[in-house]
Amino acid sequence: GFAGNIILKGIVHHKQAAPTAKTTNATLTAAEIAVGIITVNQGAGATSSLTLPTGTDFEAGFSSFATDDAFDFSVINISTVAAEDADILVGAGWTLVGSMAVQSNDAITSKSSGRFRARRTAAHTFSLYRIS
C-alpha cells in the first residue's frame, strides 16, 4: 500500500459472512476474528472468556500485515442474563488497551457490544485497542 488519502462518496458495501458465534469459553482463531463480527451467548450463568490467538497465530492469518497495519472487529454479547458478561483475554504476543469486558444485554444501559482494533506493532506482536 501507500500513504495518502482515499475519498469515498456514496454508499460503500462489502460482503459480510455470518458472524462467528461463541457459546462457551474459547480461544479465538485469526479466521474467526477476520469475519469481523463475533457474537457471544454464554448461557451458563457466568462470565465467558474469549482468548485471543497468539501473536504468531494471528499473524499467520493476516500474513500481509506490516508494522502499524490494523484490523477492526466487533464483539456483540447477545445474552440477556446479567451474570453472562464476556471478557477478551490476552494471548501471547498481545498488549490490551482499554476495557476488554463486553457486558451482557440485560438492560438498556448495558454496553453489550464493543469495537476493537488489532494493530501489528512488530513481528508476531500486536496491540488490541477498545475503540468503542
Side-chain angles (χ1 to χ4, degrees):
F2 64 92
N5 295 320
I6 297 174
I7 299 171
L8 299 171
K9 294 182 179 183
I11 297 172
V12 177
H13 61 89
H14 55 87
K15 186 171 182 139
Q16 174 65 57
T20 298
K22 295 297 177 184
T23 58
T24 61
N25 296 334
T27 297
L28 300 170
T29 67
E32 290 171 331
I33 295 170
V35 169
I37 300 172
I38 300 166
T39 62
V40 60
N41 190 359
Q42 174 72 346
T47 298
S48 64
S49 299
L50 302 175
T51 303
L52 297 170
T54 66
T56 299
D57 289 342
F58 190 75
E59 188 162 311
F62 291 89
S63 59
S64 64
F65 264 29
T67 297
D68 291 330
D69 283 351
F71 174 79
D72 294 352
F73 67 96
S74 298
V75 175
I76 304 167
N77 191 339
I78 59 176
S79 172
T80 58
V81 177
E84 294 179 354
D85 293 344
D87 291 333
I88 297 178
L89 303 179
V90 68
W94 286 90
T95 299
L96 303 177
V97 181
S99 173
M100 297 295 134
V102 180
Q103 296 175 328
S104 66
N105 192 23
D106 67 312
I108 197 160
T109 57
S110 296
K111 293 175 178 55
S112 60
S113 64
R115 187 85 172 144
F116 300 90
R117 177 164 295 157
R119 177 180 153 253
R120 185 181 190 259
T121 57
H124 314 293
T125 308
F126 293 83
S127 288
L128 184 70
Y129 303 91
R130 173 85 180 248
I131 56 177
S132 68

